[in-house]
């Protein structure tokens, strides 16, 4: 993924108003992000514990999505799998992220949900740059490139549902 600026991020959102995009908390460490290892930029809002955001490149343009997730976490013995990167996590490592649909459907209250790594570090888990709390990912027969393509495909399928 290419390096993003605050303005790139704020102008990319498809499921919130320009005013909401202007007010959302953008990460201050954009210069320190491992851009070459990211399929999307994802972050949690430090001022609103139930909100997170992601921005990705799609068909040559940036697409940003505002997400919400429940504050309640599952017990430590419960394990869940992220629908994007297929990493399993114990406890609250995976959350149901919901996003308001784009356009009129979103204004009417329609949304789409997806189980996703709560820390939004899917790209880093796939590449082995970050280890899940459980210690490891399942061993797969797919190459790293195929796993990255699958992760991007899963994210794109979610984004397609937001635009339907």
């Amino acid at each position: 993924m290419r390096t993003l600026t605050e303005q790139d991020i704020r102008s990319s959102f498809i499921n919130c108003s320009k005013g909401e995009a202007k007010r959302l908390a953008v990460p201050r460490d954009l210069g320190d992000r491992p851009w070459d290892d990211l399929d999307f930029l994802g972050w949690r809002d430090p001022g609103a514990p139930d909100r997170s955001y992601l921005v990705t490149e799609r068909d040559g343009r940036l697409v940003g999505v505002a997400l919400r997730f429940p504050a309640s976490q599952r017990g430590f013995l419960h394990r869940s799998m992220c629908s994007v990167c297929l990493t399993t996590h114990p406890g609250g490592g995976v959350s149901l992220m919901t996003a308001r649909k784009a356009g009129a459907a979103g204004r009417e209250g329609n949304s789409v949900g997806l189980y996703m790594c709560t820390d939004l570090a899917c790209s880093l888990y796939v590449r082995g740059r970050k280890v899940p709390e459980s210690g490891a990912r399942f061993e797969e027969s797919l190459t790293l490139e195929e796993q990255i393509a699958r992760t991007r495909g899963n994210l794109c399928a979610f984004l397609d549902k937001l635009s339907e």
Side-chain angles (χ1 to χ4, degrees):
M1 182 166 191
R2 69 179 172 94
T3 304
L4 301 179
T5 66
E6 183 175 339
Q7 183 57 40
D8 291 335
I9 293 168
R10 292 190 188 284
S11 63
S12 70
F13 285 88
I14 62 169
N15 69 338
C16 63
S17 69
K18 289 181 182 180
E20 289 170 318
K22 186 177 179 181
R23 291 186 301 273
L24 64 85
V26 174
R28 298 289 169 221
D29 63 345
L30 293 175
D32 299 331
R33 297 287 173 132
W35 295 104
D36 291 338
D37 291 327
L38 297 179
D39 302 303
F40 63 89
L41 172 65
W43 73 100
R44 292 180 62 178
D45 188 330
D50 66 334
R51 291 187 192 154
S52 57
Y53 308 96
L54 72 81
V55 177
T56 190
E57 293 177 285
R58 181 101 195 268
D59 300 326
R61 69 182 189 97
L62 291 175
V63 177
V65 179
L67 302 160
R68 289 189 178 258
F69 62 97
S72 64
Q73 301 296 331
R74 294 183 171 147
F76 186 76
L77 296 177
H78 188 279
R79 296 182 63 80
S80 299
M81 181 180 283
C82 172
S83 298
V84 175
C85 66
L86 305 186
T87 299
T88 59
H89 295 273
V94 173
S95 295
L96 176 60
M97 304 281 185
T98 57
R100 202 169 47 201
K101 289 185 105 176
R107 288 189 294 276
E108 292 173 6
N110 295 324
S111 62
V112 177
L114 177 76
Y115 284 96
M116 200 168 179
C117 295
T118 304
D119 63 3
L120 301 168
C122 299
S123 302
L124 301 179
Y125 289 124
V126 168
R127 290 167 175 81
R129 304 278 191 256
K130 188 170 183 179
V131 178
E133 191 176 316
S134 60
R137 293 184 74 229
F138 289 115
E139 189 174 325
E140 295 192 62
S141 60
L142 297 177
T143 65
L144 177 59
E145 291 76 25
E146 291 170 329
Q147 291 177 50
I148 292 169
R150 179 187 61 206
T151 298
R152 290 179 179 163
N154 291 341
L155 181 61
C156 287
F158 174 66
L159 295 175
D160 287 344
K161 291 177 184 176
L162 290 176
S163 301
E164 289 176 345

